Structure formats: C-alpha cells, structure tokens
Amino acid sequence: MADYIYTMEIRLTPDQLKGVGLVQDVARAAGMNLYLTGGAIRDIISGFTIRDLDFTVQGNPLKLQKDFEKAGAKITAVEEDIRTIFLSLPGNARAEVSMARTERFEKTGKPPIVMPATIHEDLRRRDFTINAMALSLNEGSRGLLLDPFNGVADIEAKLIRILHNYSFLEDPSRLIRATRFAARFHWPLEERTQARYDAAKEGKYIDHILRSSVGHEIAALAHEDDPLNVVRMLEKEGWLEILHERWTVNKVDVNGITALMKTRQQMVDLGYTPDAGPAVMYFLTLNFSDKEIADIQKMIPRKDLVEAWRDIEDHAKELAKRVMGKEAATPSRTWQLLSSARPEMVLFLAVTAKQQSVEQKIKNYLTKWRQVQQKIPLPEMTELLITPQLPEYPKIAHDVFMLLLDGKLRSRTETLKFLKPFAPPPPPPPPAPRRGRAAKAAAEAAAAPAAQPGKPGPKGKKAKGAVASTAPATPAPPTKAEAKGKTPEKSKPAKPEPKAAAKPDSKPAKKTASNSSAKKAPLKKKR
Ligand code: ATP
Ligand code: MG
C-alpha cells in the first residue's frame, strides 16, 4: 500500500509541511478530526505543483480562528456560509480549512443548503473524482487515504471525471473548473463527463453560476503556473466573459505575463518562493479600466490578494526609487536592499521597471552577481577552519561576498589575506608522551572504550574512539570495563591532563584530521 504520509512529506515545500504541522496541532488541541483534501491530495499523488493546502475538519473551523492566529497563521478571508477560513501560513504557504459538509441544491442558481457532515459525506459533494480524496491526519488513522470514487485511478489515467450526472447542473462553476484543470494538466474530460459538459454548455447552465463562485474562479487564475494558457482556454470555451463580461485575451498584457512567469521560474530555481498571484492579476487585467478592475476585485473573496494587487504598482515604485538611490550605490548595497525586499516585489519590478539602471541591477542580482559567490574560496576557508560550525561564519561569508561583489578583493591572495585573521586558533599540540606504569594505565584506559564489545581494540586503530575515551566528561556508552563491574573512575587515566582531556569535548573529533592524528601518538608510543 502506498505510504501517503511519506509522499506528502517529500512533495510539500518545507513551509507547507510546517503548515500541515501547525494546522494539525490546532485541530488536535480542539479535538477536531482533520483531513488533507481536494487539490492538495491530487497534486501530491500526481506530482504537480501543490499550490495551496486544502484541509477539512469535522467540526466548525470558524471557532479555531484565534488558535490559528496564536499559532502564527494569518486569517485572510472567512466564508461564514460554508464555514471556511483561508489562512496565510508562515513563509507564503496558503491554506484553506473547511467544515466537512453536505450541500443540498434545491433550486437552480440558488446557494445550496449546507449541513455539517462526516468526511465521507463531504467527499460526495466534490467536483471531480481526482479532487474527492482525503488523507487522514488523525492519531490512529494518520496516513489512511479515503478515495471513494477511485480518484487515484483517474489520476493514473489522466482523466477529469464528475461524480454524478447532475454535477454541472447543480454547480455550473464546475464547467469553468473543468476547463481550468484540463488546461492546467493537459488532461481530457472523461467521455461521459464530456457529454455532460457539452449538454450543460448547450443548455446555458452557466447563466446560473453563483456570484461567489465567479469570485473564486477569478482568484484561482492568480495561482496558475501558466495563466495565459488557462485564460485562452477559458475564452475559447466562453467562460472568460462569465468572469467579467468584457474579459478577453486582448485585456491581457501577453508580453508582461510571459516575462513575469519566466522570471518567476528563474527565481524559483534560485530557491525563492515569490507569490506571483497579485502580479498575475495585474497583467491579466492590464487593459481594463480602473473601474472594471475595481469591479473584478470586489468579487474576490481573498482580500489579501486584492490588497496586494491594488498596491503592487506603488510598492514597485517605492522599491525602484530605493534601487536608484544612495541605498543601492554599490553592488553590495543593492544586493542587501534586494535581498531584504519581498521576493514578489523584486519579481514584479524585474518585469516592469521603466528605468534601465533598475532593470540592470535586478538582472545582475538574479544572474551575474550569483556567480561571484563561486569566488568565495571554500576549500581554503575549510583549511583555515573557517567552517559553518563557527558562530561567526555567516557574517564572515557574507562580508567576503560583499567585498567580492564590490571588487574590493581582486584576487584569491587578497581574499585569503582578508580571511586569515578570522581563522580560529589551531588545535593544541598532542599531550606529552608518558612513561612507566602511569602511561600504561592511561593508555589502557584510553583504549578500553574504543574496543568493540567482546573484542580488544586493534593495535593503533580506532583513533577516534581513543579520542573520546580520553575525555572524561564525554558521555559514552558503557565500556567493557564498566560492564564487568569496574567503576568508570577506575578506567580513567591516573592523572588526566586537563588540556588534552578537554579538547575533544569542546570540538567534535570528526572535525579535523590533525585532531585524530594528535591523539594517535600516545597509543603508538605505548605500543
Ligand atoms: P487548485 O490547485 O486550483 O487549488 P483545487 O482542486 O484544490 O485546485 P480549490 O478551489 O482549492 O481547488 O478547492 C479545494 C477543493 O474543494 C477541490 O479540490 C474540490 O474538492 C472542492 N471544490 C472546490 N470547488 C468546488 C465546486 N465548485 N464543487 C465541488 N467541489 C469543489
Ligand atoms: Mg486547492
């Protein structure tokens, strides 16, 4: 059986995984059963990008708002009628927590009657089989996948299939969703689904779409990896004009969105996670009037998206001003300024900057200046013991990079000259060899913990074990001597030399070759 928890752990970004932990802790403390559902499960199994985390709880998540905030999440929207809260989790991870519910559609075009339900019932109200799965995150059943409609098989077959014949009639926004998923995954609709889809189109079911669903579908465009392709498909199917009567591909800044998605990918490859949503919306609607844009924004339930979209130009202008000013007078200062800016603003400015100098600086930041990092002499730094174990290492590495960026360290020699004063003192010399009985006793004690159970330590080998054993303060597994009833004190060197004994304790033995060879000496001497 597939291990879905393992698959989830390797597929989610570290921030998303932390987000799962956060939501799980809050739900558990409140005694609510929690499931990862919908698109998150589909994408975990299929290998596509997981853009947001959909959770379902058996209970009312609106009651958990304060707990989520205390745990570090931001509430970005609340939908009271379906008892759903939208969260922004630390590190740009988006999530939605819904109440497990049934939906009874009594009248075409009217919102359904919502009732609390079990997760099994909830899965029956979903749109497509690939979205109707739930992964238990509860103690006792954690990792159990609920897949009543065989969504896994449809993922394997790459098919979009509705759950029942009335699906499009009940909720015509599923027509738009079907097109969006077909465009995103390049998967076809299953044959009978296609027939129902055609009939729904013919019957103009879409006229009965709920306003709230329109808002959801507009917002969903913001998070597509290839929004242009999706918008083109929506236009072709006649759905774009449902989202706004005057929306066509002509309203889209095609060049802008193409450049945006390219730069976004470039930033993702560099390890950034910019939320491109607001910028995507900006370009998708660039040729609309302000009034039309405001109308579209009014329909979007996620106010954080709307605000960021509204403010994007002003924030970019502010950043551009700073990039042109004294604050970014040198490459190193520009680097620091851009590193501290929000990645989404760097992304947006990269494709919209009107000033050539700004454009060039951002380009350098994303490409040329990264190559300067390769000039940091890492092997020599290791030799100098300037390694990440040093508490001051991040600062040293940062400073050397900044100096290299500004051309202030022009050669390797200059760089090493700069680095040398930061090298920690070398390890102390080996302890003086002892003679006579005391030396024998010390060497025996030193060799004892190195010995494997039942075997005496081989001559001259196991230097690392010997290092550990000369450190009386180092907690070690019971030695053979201890097992035989000897007290650990008895096996200690008769007269421990404080310096030699303290060293391995303060510096892990594995760090330096010189450490271990230093410790080999007394053993060799003895023998
Ligand atoms: P995306 O990757 O775009 O987030 P998604 O499938 O997760 O895709 P969401 O809008 O996040 O879509 O919705 C989460 C889940 O809620 C869906 O997977 C689906 O199970 C359910 N859902 C959303 N909209 C509908 C709908 N109109 N009808 C039925 N179920 C829906
Ligand atoms: Mg989703």
Side-chain angles (χ1 to χ4, degrees), residues 330-348:
T330 59
S332 66
R333 293 174 76 173
T334 313
W335 177 278
Q336 293 186 63
L337 172 61
L338 292 175
S339 302
S340 62
R342 281 187 295 128
E344 34 276 14
M345 286 325 300
V346 175
L347 167 63
F348 184 69

Side-chain angles (χ1 to χ4, degrees), residues 37-40 42-43 49 51-52 54 96 103 125-128 131-132 171 173-174 177 180-181 184 213 216-217 220 224:
T37 44
R42 175 199 67 220
D43 296 336
T49 316
R51 55 212 74 227
D52 58 18
D54 310 298
E96 129 180 12
E103 291 181 348
R125 61 124 191 126
R126 305 254 167 181
D127 49 2
F128 307 108
N131 291 343
D171 180 354
S173 76
R174 294 171 188 162
R177 293 176 66 81
R180 193 156 55 77
F181 291 131
R184 184 198 297 174
S213 303
H216 273 291
E217 287 311 305
E224 289 294 336

Side-chain angles (χ1 to χ4, degrees), residues 156-429:
E156 276 165 20
K158 301 187 193 316
L159 284 177
I160 298 166
R161 186 195 306 265
I162 45 175
L163 306 193
H164 54 82
N165 286 342
Y166 303 103
S167 188
F168 293 128
L169 181 64
E170 282 183 350
D171 180 354
S173 76
R174 294 171 188 162
L175 293 163
I176 302 179
R177 293 176 66 81
T179 306
R180 193 156 55 77
F181 291 131
R184 184 198 297 174
F185 301 133
H186 305 281
W187 291 357
L189 303 191
E190 169 274 334
E191 207 179 317
R192 282 174 60 186
T193 303
Q194 182 69 57
R196 294 285 153 189
Y197 177 96
D198 294 340
K201 225 169 142 183
E202 181 107 2
K204 297 205 184 321
Y205 292 3
I206 201 69
D207 292 349
H208 304 292
I209 190 169
L210 296 174
R211 217 178 131 76
S212 58
S213 303
V214 173
H216 273 291
E217 287 311 305
I218 295 173
L221 296 176
H223 304 294
E224 289 294 336
D225 280 344
D226 188 355
L228 192 56
N229 178 44
V230 173
V231 164
R232 283 188 172 135
M233 279 280 269
L234 291 182
E235 184 178 43
K236 189 167 151 254
E237 292 298 304
W239 309 139
L240 198 54
E241 64 191 81
I242 302 299
L243 301 185
H244 186 282
E245 58 195 5
R246 299 197 46 222
W247 212 339
T248 66
V249 174
N250 290 337
K251 297 285 182 202
V252 177
D253 177 351
V254 173
N255 291 339
I257 202 141
T258 308
L260 180 83
M261 298 328 273
K262 204 173 142 200
T263 310
R264 178 185 164 270
Q265 189 55 49
Q266 189 184 358
M267 289 183 72
V268 168
D269 293 344
L270 292 173
Y272 296 96
T273 46
D275 173 10
V280 167
M281 294 315 297
Y282 172 90
F283 287 114
L284 285 183
T285 56
L286 197 70
N287 299 325
F288 272 122
S289 70
D290 289 351
K291 158 91 180 60
E292 287 164 331
I293 291 177
D295 287 344
I296 292 176
Q297 289 173 339
K298 255 187 241 150
M299 290 201 283
I300 296 181
R302 289 195 82 143
K303 294 304 160 210
D304 58 330
L305 170 64
V306 174
E307 264 167 43
W309 170 13
R310 248 185 230 145
D311 297 341
I312 201 163
E313 274 188 301
D314 289 346
H315 286 173
K317 263 186 211 151
E318 274 166 38
L319 184 59
K321 228 193 233 168
R322 292 174 69 189
V323 174
M324 283 187 297
K326 267 198 193 149
E327 209 181 335
T330 59
S332 66
R333 293 174 76 173
T334 313
W335 177 278
Q336 293 186 63
L337 172 61
L338 292 175
S339 302
S340 62
R342 281 187 295 128
E344 34 276 14
M345 286 325 300
V346 175
L347 167 63
F348 184 69
L349 194 54
V351 284
T352 55
K354 297 203 169 58
Q355 309 81 355
Q356 226 195 335
S357 66
V358 175
E359 197 186 337
Q360 190 57 46
K361 279 180 181 176
I362 297 182
K363 205 170 159 198
N364 287 343
Y365 173 69
L366 295 176
T367 54
K368 197 171 121 189
W369 292 344
R370 313 247 148 202
Q371 287 151 20
V372 174
Q373 272 167 335
Q374 282 158 18
K375 288 194 194 160
I376 300 176
L378 294 179
E380 287 89 340
M381 281 170 77
T382 310
E383 266 172 37
L384 289 169
L385 305 181
I386 305 177
T387 57
Q389 280 83 11
L390 283 185
E392 55 276 27
Y393 180 84
K395 183 171 173 353
I396 301 171
H398 175 262
D399 287 353
V400 80
F401 177 45
M402 294 298 106
L403 290 166
L404 284 165
L405 265 186
D406 289 342
K408 289 188 178 154
L409 297 173
R410 278 161 304 169
S411 65
R412 221 167 178 76
T413 322
E414 272 187 32
T415 309
L416 291 177
K417 203 171 146 198
F418 169 80
L419 284 167
K420 263 185 196 145
F422 296 105

Side-chain angles (χ1 to χ4, degrees), residues 470-474 497-507 519:
T470 53
T474 308
E497 294 208 359
K499 261 192 182 172
K503 190 64 203 165
D505 215 21
S506 58
K507 248 189 191 303
K519 297 296 167 190

Side-chain angles (χ1 to χ4, degrees), residues 1-28:
M1 208 177 83
D3 182 347
Y4 291 107
I5 293 289
Y6 175 74
T7 317
M8 172 184 84
E9 285 171 355
I10 56 167
R11 293 274 298 111
L12 295 183
T13 65
D15 286 332
Q16 286 176 325
L17 200 54
K18 272 188 223 144
V20 170
L22 186 153
V23 175
Q24 199 176 280
D25 290 347
V26 169
R28 212 169 266 183

